[in-house]
Amino acid sequence: MPQSQQERDAKAEAKRKALGEEELRHRVRPGTKAKLAELMAWHGITEQAEAVQLLILNAHALGPEASATALALPRHEIQLSENVARRFIEESERELRRDPGG
């Protein structure tokens, strides 16, 4: 006789528990999700969980030094052009002359 859905769920839960599986969840913004989708498309991966698991395993296999680049936080360097910097200084000085704050 076939198992009921409850029996199948209980069996799957017992198997996950025996294997020590743990569900990981996190929220991402649209840009991050788009990058994951692009990675998945590049490599023909259809399941997000599989892609994340492969990324973790492969980054770990690189070791601490080589994986550092992949795990570095992207920081944007702000560079003001000379014209923008000069305009900012002029506007700041104009504002200080108008209201010296004293």
Side-chain angles (χ1 to χ4, degrees):
M1 184 154 92
Q3 291 182 334
S4 70
Q5 184 62 48
Q6 281 183 322
E7 291 170 327
R8 286 193 300 275
D9 290 346
K11 184 178 177 182
E13 178 62 31
K15 184 177 178 181
R16 283 193 293 273
K17 191 172 185 177
L19 293 172
E21 286 184 6
E22 183 177 336
E23 183 176 16
L24 300 177
R25 291 179 176 222
H26 65 283
R27 298 180 188 284
V28 296
R29 292 186 176 175
T32 303
K33 184 161 181 174
K35 288 184 187 324
L36 177 60
E38 191 172 31
L39 283 167
M40 291 169 60
W42 289 347
H43 302 288
I45 299 170
T46 57
E47 297 292 326
Q48 289 181 8
E50 179 185 4
V52 171
Q53 185 171 347
L54 288 170
L55 288 167
I56 292 168
L57 292 172
N58 288 319
H60 187 271
L62 292 172
E65 288 82 22
S67 66
T69 303
L71 295 175
L73 293 173
R75 298 285 184 211
H76 302 286
E77 187 175 323
I78 298 172
Q79 294 182 345
L80 299 178
S81 70
E82 195 174 313
N83 291 338
V84 171
R86 184 174 30 256
R87 177 97 188 258
F88 178 77
I89 291 169
E90 290 169 357
E91 293 290 331
S92 297
E93 290 171 348
R94 186 177 299 124
E95 181 67 23
L96 284 170
R97 283 190 300 271
R98 189 182 68 75
D99 182 9

